[in-house]
Amino acid sequence: MENLKPIAYKDNIIIQEADSELLVYDLRSGKAHCLTESAAFIWNCCDGMTSVEQIRRKVEEKFKTEVSEDFVLLALEELGREGLLESPVETRFGKISRREALRKLGVGTMIALPLVASLAVPNTALAALTCESFVCHRPRDCAPPCNRCVGAICKVV
């Protein structure tokens, strides 16, 4: 796992920050994902240049608590399973239940466990949103008919 440098999938998705969580709508699958603060932080570290160990150190620095490599691997496995990484990450957690994985991590973790909650969203739910409902950093963050990122808000131009 030391050579693993995951890449977050960020094409055809809409990202919305909500309090300390991140809402990600995948236009390919029609699924919405809610990432806890720790899962969102780990996902944003997945740039293809940062190793699991480097991500672990960044998590410790950000949340000011010790975390194990297993903590990061659990998040990466969930993100990969939901299609939020360019390539899935297979770890030893895939062969055990989530309850067992949490037991393995220990209860001493002082930050929210890296969870990804997902659900299918009907197209009508997305259509009911206005362009101004989406925060953007680049035009591809906006869903049709929104096609322009103006002042961090999606617009129709």
Side-chain angles (χ1 to χ4, degrees):
M1 293 291 164
E2 61 195 48
N3 295 328
L4 178 64
K5 295 181 179 178
I7 302 171
Y9 182 83
K10 295 203 175 179
D11 290 331
N12 297 311
I13 61 170
I14 300 167
I15 301 169
Q16 179 71 48
E17 293 177 32
D19 296 323
S20 61
E21 296 178 333
L22 193 66
L23 303 175
V24 179
Y25 181 73
D26 186 339
L27 295 168
R28 299 169 302 167
S29 66
K31 278 188 169 180
H33 309 280
C34 179
L35 283 59
T36 60
E37 185 177 16
S38 57
F41 183 80
I42 291 168
W43 185 62
N44 281 316
C45 288
C46 295
D47 58 8
M49 297 179 290
T50 307
S51 71
V52 172
E53 174 59 22
Q54 290 169 319
I55 293 171
R56 184 195 66 76
R57 283 184 290 197
K58 287 182 176 190
V59 170
E60 284 187 343
E61 185 179 308
K62 162 103 172 126
F63 296 100
K64 307 218 181 323
T65 189
E66 287 186 33
V67 296
S68 68
E69 185 176 278
D70 285 342
F71 182 90
V72 175
L73 290 172
L74 179 63
L76 293 174
E77 184 177 293
E78 286 192 32
L79 292 165
R81 185 174 46 244
E82 296 301 338
L84 295 175
L85 296 178
E86 292 285 335
S87 302
V89 173
E90 292 188 28
T91 69
R92 63 185 167 274
F93 292 118
K95 296 172 179 63
I96 62 176
S97 71
R98 180 162 179 79
R99 179 173 286 162
E100 186 63 31
L102 295 177
R103 214 177 283 138
K104 203 169 182 38
L105 284 174
V107 293
T109 306
M110 299 300 294
I111 61 176
L113 289 170
L115 300 175
V116 179
S118 304
L119 62 113
V121 178
N123 287 338
T124 54
L126 183 60
L129 296 172
T130 64
C131 290
E132 288 77 19
S133 300
F134 300 107
V135 173
C136 59
H137 302 288
R138 56 197 182 278
R140 68 179 185 197
D141 292 340
C142 301
C146 314
N147 59 0
R148 188 83 182 252
C149 185
V150 179
I153 300 293
C154 293
K155 303 279 185 184
V156 177
V157 178

